[in-house]
Amino acid sequence: MDSNKRPDNMKRINTPELAAAFIDEQVAAVRAQVGSKKVLLALSGGVDSSVVAALLIKAIGKQLVCVHVNHGLMRKGESEDVVEVFRNQLDANLVYIDATDRFLDKLEGVFDPETKRKIIGGEFVRVFEEEARKLEGISFLAQGTIYPDILESDGVKAHHNVGGLPDDIQFEGLVEPIKLLYKDEVRVVGKALGLPAAMVDRQPFPGPGLGVRCTGAITRDRLHALRESDAILREEFNKAGLTDKVWQFFTVVPDFRSTGVREGKRVFDWPVIIRAVNTVDAMSATVPELDWAVLKKITDRILAEVPGVCRVLYDLSPKAPATIEWE
Ligand code: XMP
């Protein structure tokens, strides 16, 4: 039987009971596969790798070594959340690497979006490989592959995402416990494993992270403006009860300035663009009609709290012709 094919009679995992049965099954399968050997996992903090981590912690505890690479392009607080949940709450064996400077140095002056993506993806694999080599006695590599990745394995996702396979390290085998699950099932399993809802219900986040939302050549000042404005947007959406109503939302800081005036003096500062969309499958998307007061509150806060920003805009463009991300 092809182990990469979902059996026709496999039930859709949509209840805590079905999730619990799946977890028991996979815990037994992983134990049988790896015995007392060690397993390595690149834990980005995204839904898929988080669910695999939680499942493997349940199955093999400290035999799992998670490596979290902070590429400096995470949303505000995200790396800290990964450490808090996995190291402090789940007692995982977690190696945290802050590679911010390494990534930002490599990206300095790079304008082209595809080159940026390649640098981020390539550097990620290198950092992960270096770390893997330092760790002794690792036999298996775990991955958060899910069923749509297999269905799309003409490579769409593979080069879409950061964190490919370290290809010059030999592992005895791969551990891919959720590879036959659809995304909604991964979330149900994640909840059954006790992961926080905020982690399991996360919005899609590009592998290159904020790198695709800080358009053109990434600079530390614009990256700071992006991270802070994004955090304000999330906070205000939360307060307004929009977090579960809008499919995806974030800010963008483009690489052009405009004129403003601050304390009687002309300034030449960055704009922040708010992007919010509703969609079913991300192939097309509409823009929600947000409450004016909410938009105004977000605008006022960004202008008051984020240095180097003199304008806030709301992107009203549907997909198509616009894409959801700006780059
Ligand atoms: P676009 O911009 O093509 O985005 O309309 C569609 C959806 O895909 C997400 N996206 C990515 N997801 N790796 C991912 O896993 C990526 O590199 C990437 N780029 C865009 C985007 O956030 C939106 O939800």
Side-chain angles (χ1 to χ4, degrees):
M1 200 185 78
D2 179 2
S3 68
N4 278 345
K5 169 130 181 25
R6 188 174 163 115
D8 293 336
N9 61 356
M10 184 169 156
K11 272 195 205 142
R12 193 83 174 191
I13 301 171
N14 53 12
T15 64
E17 293 72 31
L18 287 171
F22 173 84
I23 292 164
D24 287 345
E25 209 175 89
Q26 288 305 318
V27 163
V30 169
R31 284 181 185 155
Q33 185 188 4
V34 309
S36 58
K37 293 181 175 164
K38 283 192 184 165
V39 180
L40 182 66
L41 171 73
L43 175 60
S44 68
V47 181
D48 306 339
S49 67
S50 297
V51 171
V52 168
L55 189 59
L56 295 187
I57 290 165
K58 191 173 167 89
I60 55 170
K62 293 269 163 86
Q63 281 165 254
L64 173 72
V65 183
C66 302
V67 175
H68 176 71
V69 178
N70 178 357
H71 51 26
L73 302 164
M74 309 284 281
R75 287 179 137 175
K76 190 173 181 175
E78 265 179 341
S79 280
E80 290 81 352
D81 286 350
V82 170
V83 173
E84 169 58 29
V85 169
F86 289 96
R87 188 183 280 164
N88 301 346
Q89 294 177 23
L90 297 178
D91 197 26
N93 206 340
L94 172 72
V95 180
Y96 170 75
I97 302 161
D98 184 355
T100 303
D101 287 335
R102 202 169 146 165
F103 278 83
L104 295 188
D105 288 350
K106 275 253 148 106
L107 287 163
E108 208 176 303
V110 181
F111 288 84
D112 178 62
E114 274 316 302
T115 314
K116 282 166 70 182
R117 279 177 182 267
K118 279 201 190 105
I119 290 174
I120 297 166
E123 199 57 20
F124 187 91
V125 175
R126 267 189 295 281
V127 174
F128 186 67
E129 269 178 0
E130 279 173 25
E131 221 40 53
R133 251 186 234 106
K134 283 188 219 154
L135 298 162
E136 306 259 301
I138 304 271
S139 304
F140 291 88
L141 181 71
Q143 292 206 115
T145 314
I146 67 171
Y147 205 45
D149 302 334
I150 292 177
L151 297 177
E152 293 163 16
S153 61
D154 51 355
V156 177
K157 178 102 174 192
H159 57 75
H160 218 165
N161 256 342
V162 161
L165 269 177
D167 43 19
D168 56 343
I169 297 182
Q170 292 301 313
F171 292 97
E172 206 170 296
L174 284 179
V175 179
E176 297 180 299
I178 58 170
K179 72 176 175 185
L180 296 182
L181 301 190
Y182 288 102
K183 196 78 177 191
D184 52 296
E185 300 180 294
V186 177
R187 295 189 209 274
V188 177
V189 169
K191 280 184 193 144
L193 283 163
L195 287 175
M199 192 164 253
V200 174
D201 292 328
R202 266 157 144 259
Q203 298 177 17
F205 187 60
L210 297 182
V212 301
R213 300 174 183 168
C214 189
T215 70
I218 298 168
T219 55
R220 286 172 196 257
D221 59 343
R222 282 194 304 122
L223 193 56
H224 180 75
L226 179 58
R227 188 174 281 122
E228 294 302 317
S229 59
D230 183 73
I232 291 171
L233 179 76
R234 282 194 286 160
E235 204 182 307
E236 292 303 325
F237 264 47
N238 239 335
K239 277 194 216 151
L242 291 169
T243 301
D244 299 332
K245 297 202 181 102
V246 178
W247 193 81
Q248 189 177 15
F249 49 89
F250 52 86
T251 60
V252 174
V253 179
D255 59 342
F256 55 83
R257 298 173 190 259
S258 77
T259 304
V261 59
R262 208 179 278 281
E263 287 158 11
K265 287 202 193 79
R266 272 169 81 90
V267 291
F268 202 42
D269 279 346
W270 309 111
V272 163
I273 298 154
I274 298 170
R275 188 73 171 133
V277 294
N278 280 323
T279 177
V280 176
D281 55 9
M283 299 299 283
S284 64
T286 56
V287 177
E289 268 187 50
L290 295 184
D291 186 12
W292 194 255
V294 174
L295 282 171
K296 197 166 172 324
K297 176 88 187 291
I298 296 165
T299 301
D300 289 345
R301 278 197 60 195
I302 292 174
L303 293 177
E305 297 171 34
V306 185
V309 174
C310 68
R311 268 171 223 272
V312 178
L313 298 89
Y314 184 32
D315 182 352
L316 296 184
S317 325
K319 177 177 181 175
T323 52
I324 295 174
E325 302 287 347
W326 267 54
E327 194 170 71

